[in-house]
Amino acid sequence: MKVRSSLRSLKQKPGSVVVRRRGRVVVVNRANPQWKSRQG
């Protein structure tokens, strides 16, 4: 599955987790909730 490059940069941030929710790829960050995004 392709992951968008904007999600890859968010994935590098400390505390971020990549999860799949209902068929979507979501980046969640508990340390800084501002850095959250989704694809699909």
Side-chain angles (χ1 to χ4, degrees):
M1 173 168 190
K2 286 187 180 176
V3 176
R4 211 177 287 160
S5 60
S6 60
L7 292 187
R8 283 207 188 100
S9 60
L10 283 174
K11 190 172 71 171
Q12 305 300 323
K13 306 245 190 228
S16 64
V17 184
V18 178
V19 279
R20 295 200 66 178
R21 288 183 185 165
R22 301 185 188 107
R24 294 178 171 158
V25 180
V26 183
V27 176
V28 183
N29 195 322
R30 291 212 174 128
N32 191 345
Q34 186 178 358
W35 292 326
K36 64 178 184 237
S37 65
R38 73 179 173 87
Q39 167 184 309

PDB file of all heavy atoms in Angstrom:
ATOM      1  N   MET A   1       0.833  -1.195   0.000  1.00  0.00           N
ATOM      2  CA  MET A   1       0.000   0.000   0.000  1.00  0.00           C
ATOM      3  C   MET A   1       0.869   1.246   0.000  1.00  0.00           C
ATOM      4  O   MET A   1       1.857   1.328   0.732  1.00  0.00           O
ATOM      5  CB  MET A   1      -0.875  -0.028   1.249  1.00  0.00           C
ATOM      6  CG  MET A   1      -1.638   1.232   1.435  1.00  0.00           C
ATOM      7  SD  MET A   1      -2.882   1.088   2.676  1.00  0.00           S
ATOM      8  CE  MET A   1      -3.696   2.611   2.363  1.00  0.00           C
ATOM      9  N   LYS A   2       0.506   2.198  -0.818  1.00  0.00           N
ATOM     10  CA  LYS A   2       1.267   3.444  -0.878  1.00  0.00           C
ATOM     11  C   LYS A   2       0.912   4.332   0.306  1.00  0.00           C
ATOM     12  O   LYS A   2      -0.241   4.472   0.656  1.00  0.00           O
ATOM     13  CB  LYS A   2       0.930   4.212  -2.157  1.00  0.00           C
ATOM     14  CG  LYS A   2       1.534   3.625  -3.401  1.00  0.00           C
ATOM     15  CD  LYS A   2       1.284   4.547  -4.566  1.00  0.00           C
ATOM     16  CE  LYS A   2       1.877   3.975  -5.826  1.00  0.00           C
ATOM     17  NZ  LYS A   2       1.561   4.808  -6.989  1.00  0.00           N
ATOM     18  N   VAL A   3       1.953   4.919   0.886  1.00  0.00           N
ATOM     19  CA  VAL A   3       1.750   5.877   1.965  1.00  0.00           C
ATOM     20  C   VAL A   3       2.230   7.222   1.467  1.00  0.00           C
ATOM     21  O   VAL A   3       3.337   7.331   0.943  1.00  0.00           O
ATOM     22  CB  VAL A   3       2.515   5.460   3.243  1.00  0.00           C
ATOM     23  CG1 VAL A   3       2.366   6.502   4.316  1.00  0.00           C
ATOM     24  CG2 VAL A   3       2.008   4.122   3.730  1.00  0.00           C
ATOM     25  N   ARG A   4       1.409   8.221   1.607  1.00  0.00           N
ATOM     26  CA  ARG A   4       1.722   9.544   1.097  1.00  0.00           C
ATOM     27  C   ARG A   4       2.949  10.121   1.795  1.00  0.00           C
ATOM     28  O   ARG A   4       3.197   9.852   2.964  1.00  0.00           O
ATOM     29  CB  ARG A   4       0.514  10.457   1.333  1.00  0.00           C
ATOM     30  CG  ARG A   4       0.381  11.524   0.273  1.00  0.00           C
ATOM     31  CD  ARG A   4      -0.853  12.326   0.511  1.00  0.00           C
ATOM     32  NE  ARG A   4      -2.060  11.583   0.176  1.00  0.00           N
ATOM     33  CZ  ARG A   4      -3.259  11.906   0.649  1.00  0.00           C
ATOM     34  NH1 ARG A   4      -3.400  12.899   1.475  1.00  0.00           N
ATOM     35  NH2 ARG A   4      -4.313  11.220   0.292  1.00  0.00           N
ATOM     36  N   SER A   5       3.737  10.916   1.078  1.00  0.00           N
ATOM     37  CA  SER A   5       4.986  11.421   1.630  1.00  0.00           C
ATOM     38  C   SER A   5       4.740  12.370   2.792  1.00  0.00           C
ATOM     39  O   SER A   5       5.572  12.486   3.690  1.00  0.00           O
ATOM     40  CB  SER A   5       5.802  12.115   0.549  1.00  0.00           C
ATOM     41  OG  SER A   5       5.065  13.193   0.014  1.00  0.00           O
ATOM     42  N   SER A   6       3.585  13.039   2.822  1.00  0.00           N
ATOM     43  CA  SER A   6       3.288  13.919   3.951  1.00  0.00           C
ATOM     44  C   SER A   6       3.104  13.110   5.225  1.00  0.00           C
ATOM     45  O   SER A   6       3.452  13.560   6.314  1.00  0.00           O
ATOM     46  CB  SER A   6       2.042  14.742   3.666  1.00  0.00           C
ATOM     47  OG  SER A   6       0.945  13.883   3.449  1.00  0.00           O
ATOM     48  N   LEU A   7       2.586  11.876   5.091  1.00  0.00           N
ATOM     49  CA  LEU A   7       2.439  11.017   6.265  1.00  0.00           C
ATOM     50  C   LEU A   7       3.790  10.494   6.707  1.00  0.00           C
ATOM     51  O   LEU A   7       4.021  10.282   7.893  1.00  0.00           O
ATOM     52  CB  LEU A   7       1.524   9.837   5.959  1.00  0.00           C
ATOM     53  CG  LEU A   7       0.053  10.120   5.711  1.00  0.00           C
ATOM     54  CD1 LEU A   7      -0.702   8.830   5.606  1.00  0.00           C
ATOM     55  CD2 LEU A   7      -0.535  10.975   6.787  1.00  0.00           C
ATOM     56  N   ARG A   8       4.683  10.279   5.765  1.00  0.00           N
ATOM     57  CA  ARG A   8       6.011   9.779   6.131  1.00  0.00           C
ATOM     58  C   ARG A   8       6.765  10.778   6.976  1.00  0.00           C
ATOM     59  O   ARG A   8       7.458  10.421   7.916  1.00  0.00           O
ATOM     60  CB  ARG A   8       6.823   9.474   4.876  1.00  0.00           C
ATOM     61  CG  ARG A   8       6.425   8.198   4.233  1.00  0.00           C
ATOM     62  CD  ARG A   8       7.554   7.578   3.456  1.00  0.00           C
ATOM     63  NE  ARG A   8       7.053   6.451   2.700  1.00  0.00           N
ATOM     64  CZ  ARG A   8       6.754   6.506   1.417  1.00  0.00           C
ATOM     65  NH1 ARG A   8       6.908   7.617   0.757  1.00  0.00           N
ATOM     66  NH2 ARG A   8       6.311   5.441   0.806  1.00  0.00           N
ATOM     67  N   SER A   9       6.638  12.064   6.636  1.00  0.00           N
ATOM     68  CA  SER A   9       7.341  13.075   7.421  1.00  0.00           C
ATOM     69  C   SER A   9       6.746  13.176   8.821  1.00  0.00           C
ATOM     70  O   SER A   9       7.466  13.394   9.790  1.00  0.00           O
ATOM     71  CB  SER A   9       7.287  14.425   6.726  1.00  0.00           C
ATOM     72  OG  SER A   9       5.958  14.845   6.571  1.00  0.00           O
ATOM     73  N   LEU A  10       5.424  12.986   8.940  1.00  0.00           N
ATOM     74  CA  LEU A  10       4.798  13.028  10.260  1.00  0.00           C
ATOM     75  C   LEU A  10       5.163  11.797  11.079  1.00  0.00           C
ATOM     76  O   LEU A  10       5.232  11.862  12.296  1.00  0.00           O
ATOM     77  CB  LEU A  10       3.280  13.097  10.120  1.00  0.00           C
ATOM     78  CG  LEU A  10       2.707  14.452   9.749  1.00  0.00           C
ATOM     79  CD1 LEU A  10       1.224  14.322   9.511  1.00  0.00           C
ATOM     80  CD2 LEU A  10       2.982  15.468  10.818  1.00  0.00           C
ATOM     81  N   LYS A  11       5.413  10.688  10.366  1.00  0.00           N
ATOM     82  CA  LYS A  11       5.752   9.447  11.051  1.00  0.00           C
ATOM     83  C   LYS A  11       7.092   9.556  11.779  1.00  0.00           C
ATOM     84  O   LYS A  11       7.304   8.899  12.783  1.00  0.00           O
ATOM     85  CB  LYS A  11       5.806   8.335  10.004  1.00  0.00           C
ATOM     86  CG  LYS A  11       5.918   6.950  10.535  1.00  0.00           C
ATOM     87  CD  LYS A  11       5.767   5.946   9.424  1.00  0.00           C
ATOM     88  CE  LYS A  11       6.969   5.928   8.505  1.00  0.00           C
ATOM     89  NZ  LYS A  11       6.933   4.826   7.549  1.00  0.00           N
ATOM     90  N   GLN A  12       7.978  10.418  11.286  1.00  0.00           N
ATOM     91  CA  GLN A  12       9.304  10.568  11.890  1.00  0.00           C
ATOM     92  C   GLN A  12       9.276  11.357  13.193  1.00  0.00           C
ATOM     93  O   GLN A  12      10.220  11.315  13.957  1.00  0.00           O
ATOM     94  CB  GLN A  12      10.244  11.288  10.913  1.00  0.00           C
ATOM     95  CG  GLN A  12      10.357  10.638   9.555  1.00  0.00           C
ATOM     96  CD  GLN A  12      10.884   9.219   9.630  1.00  0.00           C
ATOM     97  OE1 GLN A  12      11.748   8.933  10.446  1.00  0.00           O
ATOM     98  NE2 GLN A  12      10.364   8.347   8.787  1.00  0.00           N
ATOM     99  N   LYS A  13       8.197  12.077  13.446  1.00  0.00           N
ATOM    100  CA  LYS A  13       8.141  12.922  14.637  1.00  0.00           C
ATOM    101  C   LYS A  13       8.055  12.053  15.897  1.00  0.00           C
ATOM    102  O   LYS A  13       7.498  10.964  15.860  1.00  0.00           O
ATOM    103  CB  LYS A  13       6.910  13.834  14.582  1.00  0.00           C
ATOM    104  CG  LYS A  13       6.833  14.630  13.312  1.00  0.00           C
ATOM    105  CD  LYS A  13       6.979  16.081  13.573  1.00  0.00           C
ATOM    106  CE  LYS A  13       6.656  16.859  12.326  1.00  0.00           C
ATOM    107  NZ  LYS A  13       7.625  17.843  12.007  1.00  0.00           N
ATOM    108  N   PRO A  14       8.616  12.531  17.012  1.00  0.00           N
ATOM    109  CA  PRO A  14       8.595  11.714  18.227  1.00  0.00           C
ATOM    110  C   PRO A  14       7.188  11.540  18.780  1.00  0.00           C
ATOM    111  O   PRO A  14       6.421  12.490  18.845  1.00  0.00           O
ATOM    112  CB  PRO A  14       9.471  12.510  19.206  1.00  0.00           C
ATOM    113  CG  PRO A  14       9.497  13.890  18.659  1.00  0.00           C
ATOM    114  CD  PRO A  14       9.340  13.772  17.186  1.00  0.00           C
ATOM    115  N   GLY A  15       6.854  10.313  19.123  1.00  0.00           N
ATOM    116  CA  GLY A  15       5.559  10.015  19.720  1.00  0.00           C
ATOM    117  C   GLY A  15       4.468   9.700  18.726  1.00  0.00           C
ATOM    118  O   GLY A  15       3.327   9.488  19.129  1.00  0.00           O
ATOM    119  N   SER A  16       4.775   9.650  17.439  1.00  0.00           N
ATOM    120  CA  SER A  16       3.712   9.410  16.464  1.00  0.00           C
ATOM    121  C   SER A  16       3.568   7.920  16.175  1.00  0.00           C
ATOM    122  O   SER A  16       4.533   7.163  16.195  1.00  0.00           O
ATOM    123  CB  SER A  16       3.979  10.161  15.164  1.00  0.00           C
ATOM    124  OG  SER A  16       5.144   9.689  14.562  1.00  0.00           O
ATOM    125  N   VAL A  17       2.320   7.512  15.899  1.00  0.00           N
ATOM    126  CA  VAL A  17       1.989   6.121  15.630  1.00  0.00           C
ATOM    127  C   VAL A  17       1.154   6.074  14.367  1.00  0.00           C
ATOM    128  O   VAL A  17       0.269   6.901  14.171  1.00  0.00           O
ATOM    129  CB  VAL A  17       1.175   5.520  16.800  1.00  0.00           C
ATOM    130  CG1 VAL A  17       0.917   4.054  16.581  1.00  0.00           C
ATOM    131  CG2 VAL A  17       1.884   5.746  18.112  1.00  0.00           C
ATOM    132  N   VAL A  18       1.433   5.102  13.491  1.00  0.00           N
ATOM    133  CA  VAL A  18       0.639   4.909  12.284  1.00  0.00           C
ATOM    134  C   VAL A  18      -0.335   3.770  12.551  1.00  0.00           C
ATOM    135  O   VAL A  18       0.077   2.669  12.911  1.00  0.00           O
ATOM    136  CB  VAL A  18       1.536   4.572  11.079  1.00  0.00           C
ATOM    137  CG1 VAL A  18       0.696   4.336   9.844  1.00  0.00           C
ATOM    138  CG2 VAL A  18       2.517   5.686  10.829  1.00  0.00           C
ATOM    139  N   VAL A  19      -1.631   4.041  12.385  1.00  0.00           N
ATOM    140  CA  VAL A  19      -2.653   3.021  12.633  1.00  0.00           C
ATOM    141  C   VAL A  19      -3.613   2.974  11.447  1.00  0.00           C
ATOM    142  O   VAL A  19      -3.727   3.943  10.696  1.00  0.00           O
ATOM    143  CB  VAL A  19      -3.470   3.310  13.916  1.00  0.00           C
ATOM    144  CG1 VAL A  19      -2.723   2.871  15.138  1.00  0.00           C
ATOM    145  CG2 VAL A  19      -3.835   4.755  14.022  1.00  0.00           C
ATOM    146  N   ARG A  20      -4.282   1.823  11.299  1.00  0.00           N
ATOM    147  CA  ARG A  20      -5.317   1.701  10.277  1.00  0.00           C
ATOM    148  C   ARG A  20      -6.658   1.694  10.979  1.00  0.00           C
ATOM    149  O   ARG A  20      -6.889   0.870  11.866  1.00  0.00           O
ATOM    150  CB  ARG A  20      -5.136   0.413   9.499  1.00  0.00           C
ATOM    151  CG  ARG A  20      -3.844   0.417   8.717  1.00  0.00           C
ATOM    152  CD  ARG A  20      -3.874  -0.575   7.608  1.00  0.00           C
ATOM    153  NE  ARG A  20      -4.870  -0.190   6.631  1.00  0.00           N
ATOM    154  CZ  ARG A  20      -5.093  -0.864   5.497  1.00  0.00           C
ATOM    155  NH1 ARG A  20      -4.403  -1.922   5.228  1.00  0.00           N
ATOM    156  NH2 ARG A  20      -6.006  -0.462   4.649  1.00  0.00           N
ATOM    157  N   ARG A  21      -7.517   2.609  10.584  1.00  0.00           N
ATOM    158  CA  ARG A  21      -8.857   2.682  11.165  1.00  0.00           C
ATOM    159  C   ARG A  21      -9.876   2.696  10.041  1.00  0.00           C
ATOM    160  O   ARG A  21      -9.869   3.602   9.212  1.00  0.00           O
ATOM    161  CB  ARG A  21      -9.027   3.961  11.984  1.00  0.00           C
ATOM    162  CG  ARG A  21      -8.262   3.944  13.267  1.00  0.00           C
ATOM    163  CD  ARG A  21      -8.536   5.195  14.050  1.00  0.00           C
ATOM    164  NE  ARG A  21      -7.702   5.247  15.246  1.00  0.00           N
ATOM    165  CZ  ARG A  21      -7.513   6.332  15.977  1.00  0.00           C
ATOM    166  NH1 ARG A  21      -8.084   7.455  15.635  1.00  0.00           N
ATOM    167  NH2 ARG A  21      -6.759   6.307  17.028  1.00  0.00           N
ATOM    168  N   ARG A  22     -10.718   1.683  10.034  1.00  0.00           N
ATOM    169  CA  ARG A  22     -11.788   1.566   9.026  1.00  0.00           C
ATOM    170  C   ARG A  22     -11.249   1.708   7.610  1.00  0.00           C
ATOM    171  O   ARG A  22     -11.821   2.391   6.767  1.00  0.00           O
ATOM    172  CB  ARG A  22     -12.870   2.619   9.256  1.00  0.00           C
ATOM    173  CG  ARG A  22     -13.506   2.531  10.616  1.00  0.00           C
ATOM    174  CD  ARG A  22     -14.657   3.505  10.741  1.00  0.00           C
ATOM    175  NE  ARG A  22     -15.142   3.542  12.107  1.00  0.00           N
ATOM    176  CZ  ARG A  22     -14.932   4.534  12.944  1.00  0.00           C
ATOM    177  NH1 ARG A  22     -14.224   5.574  12.560  1.00  0.00           N
ATOM    178  NH2 ARG A  22     -15.413   4.493  14.147  1.00  0.00           N
ATOM    179  N   GLY A  23     -10.094   1.076   7.360  1.00  0.00           N
ATOM    180  CA  GLY A  23      -9.524   1.094   6.013  1.00  0.00           C
ATOM    181  C   GLY A  23      -8.730   2.339   5.686  1.00  0.00           C
ATOM    182  O   GLY A  23      -8.236   2.473   4.578  1.00  0.00           O
ATOM    183  N   ARG A  24      -8.589   3.246   6.626  1.00  0.00           N
ATOM    184  CA  ARG A  24      -7.818   4.461   6.386  1.00  0.00           C
ATOM    185  C   ARG A  24      -6.512   4.384   7.156  1.00  0.00           C
ATOM    186  O   ARG A  24      -6.451   3.777   8.220  1.00  0.00           O
ATOM    187  CB  ARG A  24      -8.582   5.692   6.873  1.00  0.00           C
ATOM    188  CG  ARG A  24      -9.826   5.940   6.085  1.00  0.00           C
ATOM    189  CD  ARG A  24     -10.563   7.128   6.618  1.00  0.00           C
ATOM    190  NE  ARG A  24     -11.650   7.473   5.714  1.00  0.00           N
ATOM    191  CZ  ARG A  24     -12.706   8.166   6.065  1.00  0.00           C
ATOM    192  NH1 ARG A  24     -12.848   8.575   7.302  1.00  0.00           N
ATOM    193  NH2 ARG A  24     -13.632   8.446   5.184  1.00  0.00           N
ATOM    194  N   VAL A  25      -5.487   5.018   6.614  1.00  0.00           N
ATOM    195  CA  VAL A  25      -4.210   5.097   7.305  1.00  0.00           C
ATOM    196  C   VAL A  25      -4.184   6.425   8.054  1.00  0.00           C
ATOM    197  O   VAL A  25      -4.375   7.482   7.465  1.00  0.00           O
ATOM    198  CB  VAL A  25      -3.034   5.022   6.325  1.00  0.00           C
ATOM    199  CG1 VAL A  25      -1.720   5.101   7.065  1.00  0.00           C
ATOM    200  CG2 VAL A  25      -3.107   3.739   5.534  1.00  0.00           C
ATOM    201  N   VAL A  26      -3.978   6.361   9.373  1.00  0.00           N
ATOM    202  CA  VAL A  26      -4.055   7.545  10.214  1.00  0.00           C
ATOM    203  C   VAL A  26      -2.754   7.675  10.996  1.00  0.00           C
ATOM    204  O   VAL A  26      -2.225   6.679  11.493  1.00  0.00           O
ATOM    205  CB  VAL A  26      -5.242   7.423  11.201  1.00  0.00           C
ATOM    206  CG1 VAL A  26      -5.374   8.673  12.041  1.00  0.00           C
ATOM    207  CG2 VAL A  26      -6.525   7.158  10.472  1.00  0.00           C
ATOM    208  N   VAL A  27      -2.230   8.899  11.083  1.00  0.00           N
ATOM    209  CA  VAL A  27      -1.083   9.169  11.940  1.00  0.00           C
ATOM    210  C   VAL A  27      -1.586   9.927  13.155  1.00  0.00           C
ATOM    211  O   VAL A  27      -2.199  10.981  13.023  1.00  0.00           O
ATOM    212  CB  VAL A  27      -0.009  10.002  11.207  1.00  0.00           C
ATOM    213  CG1 VAL A  27       1.127  10.336  12.152  1.00  0.00           C
ATOM    214  CG2 VAL A  27       0.522   9.247  10.013  1.00  0.00           C
ATOM    215  N   VAL A  28      -1.339   9.357  14.350  1.00  0.00           N
ATOM    216  CA  VAL A  28      -1.791   9.961  15.600  1.00  0.00           C
ATOM    217  C   VAL A  28      -0.563  10.238  16.441  1.00  0.00           C
ATOM    218  O   VAL A  28       0.349   9.429  16.498  1.00  0.00           O
ATOM    219  CB  VAL A  28      -2.739   8.999  16.349  1.00  0.00           C
ATOM    220  CG1 VAL A  28      -3.268   9.662  17.603  1.00  0.00           C
ATOM    221  CG2 VAL A  28      -3.868   8.571  15.463  1.00  0.00           C
ATOM    222  N   ASN A  29      -0.545  11.391  17.085  1.00  0.00           N
ATOM    223  CA  ASN A  29       0.575  11.734  17.946  1.00  0.00           C
ATOM    224  C   ASN A  29       0.037  12.211  19.288  1.00  0.00           C
ATOM    225  O   ASN A  29      -0.627  13.236  19.361  1.00  0.00           O
ATOM    226  CB  ASN A  29       1.423  12.825  17.292  1.00  0.00           C
ATOM    227  CG  ASN A  29       2.770  12.958  17.937  1.00  0.00           C
ATOM    228  OD1 ASN A  29       2.899  12.838  19.141  1.00  0.00           O
ATOM    229  ND2 ASN A  29       3.767  13.194  17.126  1.00  0.00           N
ATOM    230  N   ARG A  30       0.332  11.445  20.335  1.00  0.00           N
ATOM    231  CA  ARG A  30      -0.158  11.832  21.660  1.00  0.00           C
ATOM    232  C   ARG A  30       0.697  12.933  22.256  1.00  0.00           C
ATOM    233  O   ARG A  30       0.223  13.717  23.064  1.00  0.00           O
ATOM    234  CB  ARG A  30      -0.141  10.626  22.590  1.00  0.00           C
ATOM    235  CG  ARG A  30      -1.182   9.618  22.182  1.00  0.00           C
ATOM    236  CD  ARG A  30      -1.705   8.892  23.394  1.00  0.00           C
ATOM    237  NE  ARG A  30      -2.807   8.030  23.000  1.00  0.00           N
ATOM    238  CZ  ARG A  30      -2.860   6.748  23.295  1.00  0.00           C
ATOM    239  NH1 ARG A  30      -1.880   6.183  23.954  1.00  0.00           N
ATOM    240  NH2 ARG A  30      -3.890   6.037  22.926  1.00  0.00           N
ATOM    241  N   ALA A  31       1.985  12.980  21.884  1.00  0.00           N
ATOM    242  CA  ALA A  31       2.869  14.015  22.428  1.00  0.00           C
ATOM    243  C   ALA A  31       2.453  15.387  21.920  1.00  0.00           C
ATOM    244  O   ALA A  31       2.435  16.360  22.663  1.00  0.00           O
ATOM    245  CB  ALA A  31       4.305  13.718  22.046  1.00  0.00           C
ATOM    246  N   ASN A  32       2.114  15.470  20.626  1.00  0.00           N
ATOM    247  CA  ASN A  32       1.666  16.733  20.035  1.00  0.00           C
ATOM    248  C   ASN A  32       0.469  16.439  19.143  1.00  0.00           C
ATOM    249  O   ASN A  32       0.652  16.057  17.988  1.00  0.00           O
ATOM    250  CB  ASN A  32       2.804  17.367  19.233  1.00  0.00           C
ATOM    251  CG  ASN A  32       2.497  18.790  18.833  1.00  0.00           C
ATOM    252  OD1 ASN A  32       1.353  19.224  18.911  1.00  0.00           O
ATOM    253  ND2 ASN A  32       3.496  19.512  18.415  1.00  0.00           N
ATOM    254  N   PRO A  33      -0.764  16.579  19.649  1.00  0.00           N
ATOM    255  CA  PRO A  33      -1.946  16.211  18.863  1.00  0.00           C
ATOM    256  C   PRO A  33      -2.140  17.043  17.605  1.00  0.00           C
ATOM    257  O   PRO A  33      -2.972  16.707  16.763  1.00  0.00           O
ATOM    258  CB  PRO A  33      -3.109  16.450  19.841  1.00  0.00           C
ATOM    259  CG  PRO A  33      -2.500  16.479  21.179  1.00  0.00           C
ATOM    260  CD  PRO A  33      -1.105  16.976  20.998  1.00  0.00           C
ATOM    261  N   GLN A  34      -1.360  18.105  17.466  1.00  0.00           N
ATOM    262  CA  GLN A  34      -1.434  18.926  16.255  1.00  0.00           C
ATOM    263  C   GLN A  34      -0.966  18.139  15.040  1.00  0.00           C
ATOM    264  O   GLN A  34      -1.419  18.371  13.932  1.00  0.00           O
ATOM    265  CB  GLN A  34      -0.545  20.139  16.482  1.00  0.00           C
ATOM    266  CG  GLN A  34      -0.582  21.186  15.409  1.00  0.00           C
ATOM    267  CD  GLN A  34       0.307  22.355  15.796  1.00  0.00           C
ATOM    268  OE1 GLN A  34       0.895  22.363  16.870  1.00  0.00           O
ATOM    269  NE2 GLN A  34       0.399  23.320  14.930  1.00  0.00           N
ATOM    270  N   TRP A  35      -0.037  17.195  15.235  1.00  0.00           N
ATOM    271  CA  TRP A  35       0.497  16.402  14.133  1.00  0.00           C
ATOM    272  C   TRP A  35      -0.334  15.165  13.912  1.00  0.00           C
ATOM    273  O   TRP A  35       0.104  14.053  14.177  1.00  0.00           O
ATOM    274  CB  TRP A  35       1.930  15.967  14.430  1.00  0.00           C
ATOM    275  CG  TRP A  35       2.906  17.068  14.458  1.00  0.00           C
ATOM    276  CD1 TRP A  35       2.894  18.186  13.697  1.00  0.00           C
ATOM    277  CD2 TRP A  35       4.076  17.161  15.279  1.00  0.00           C
ATOM    278  NE1 TRP A  35       3.956  18.973  13.995  1.00  0.00           N
ATOM    279  CE2 TRP A  35       4.706  18.365  14.968  1.00  0.00           C
ATOM    280  CE3 TRP A  35       4.632  16.334  16.249  1.00  0.00           C
ATOM    281  CZ2 TRP A  35       5.869  18.770  15.592  1.00  0.00           C
ATOM    282  CZ3 TRP A  35       5.780  16.735  16.872  1.00  0.00           C
ATOM    283  CH2 TRP A  35       6.388  17.934  16.539  1.00  0.00           C
ATOM    284  N   LYS A  36      -1.571  15.318  13.460  1.00  0.00           N
ATOM    285  CA  LYS A  36      -2.338  14.133  13.109  1.00  0.00           C
ATOM    286  C   LYS A  36      -2.913  14.337  11.718  1.00  0.00           C
ATOM    287  O   LYS A  36      -3.275  15.453  11.337  1.00  0.00           O
ATOM    288  CB  LYS A  36      -3.408  13.823  14.141  1.00  0.00           C
ATOM    289  CG  LYS A  36      -4.479  14.856  14.288  1.00  0.00           C
ATOM    290  CD  LYS A  36      -5.505  14.378  15.311  1.00  0.00           C
ATOM    291  CE  LYS A  36      -6.635  15.370  15.384  1.00  0.00           C
ATOM    292  NZ  LYS A  36      -6.848  15.885  16.726  1.00  0.00           N
ATOM    293  N   SER A  37      -2.963  13.251  10.959  1.00  0.00           N
ATOM    294  CA  SER A  37      -3.463  13.342   9.593  1.00  0.00           C
ATOM    295  C   SER A  37      -3.965  11.968   9.188  1.00  0.00           C
ATOM    296  O   SER A  37      -3.738  10.984   9.860  1.00  0.00           O
ATOM    297  CB  SER A  37      -2.372  13.818   8.643  1.00  0.00           C
ATOM    298  OG  SER A  37      -1.368  12.865   8.579  1.00  0.00           O
ATOM    299  N   ARG A  38      -4.668  11.932   8.049  1.00  0.00           N
ATOM    300  CA  ARG A  38      -5.169  10.662   7.556  1.00  0.00           C
ATOM    301  C   ARG A  38      -5.048  10.611   6.056  1.00  0.00           C
ATOM    302  O   ARG A  38      -4.971  11.642   5.378  1.00  0.00           O
ATOM    303  CB  ARG A  38      -6.605  10.427   7.993  1.00  0.00           C
ATOM    304  CG  ARG A  38      -7.621  11.282   7.277  1.00  0.00           C
ATOM    305  CD  ARG A  38      -9.020  10.946   7.765  1.00  0.00           C
ATOM    306  NE  ARG A  38      -9.989  11.862   7.225  1.00  0.00           N
ATOM    307  CZ  ARG A  38     -10.597  11.703   6.044  1.00  0.00           C
ATOM    308  NH1 ARG A  38     -10.311  10.660   5.310  1.00  0.00           N
ATOM    309  NH2 ARG A  38     -11.479  12.568   5.614  1.00  0.00           N
ATOM    310  N   GLN A  39      -5.022   9.395   5.545  1.00  0.00           N
ATOM    311  CA  GLN A  39      -4.969   9.178   4.103  1.00  0.00           C
ATOM    312  C   GLN A  39      -6.071   8.205   3.734  1.00  0.00           C
ATOM    313  O   GLN A  39      -6.221   7.181   4.377  1.00  0.00           O
ATOM    314  CB  GLN A  39      -3.609   8.596   3.732  1.00  0.00           C
ATOM    315  CG  GLN A  39      -3.569   8.058   2.321  1.00  0.00           C
ATOM    316  CD  GLN A  39      -2.241   7.388   2.012  1.00  0.00           C
ATOM    317  OE1 GLN A  39      -1.206   7.968   2.234  1.00  0.00           O
ATOM    318  NE2 GLN A  39      -2.290   6.179   1.500  1.00  0.00           N
ATOM    319  N   GLY A  40      -6.824   8.534   2.696  1.00  0.00           N
ATOM    320  CA  GLY A  40      -7.864   7.631   2.216  1.00  0.00           C
ATOM    321  C   GLY A  40      -9.222   7.875   2.827  1.00  0.00           C
ATOM    322  O   GLY A  40      -9.391   8.672   3.721  1.00  0.00           O
TER     323      GLY A  40
END
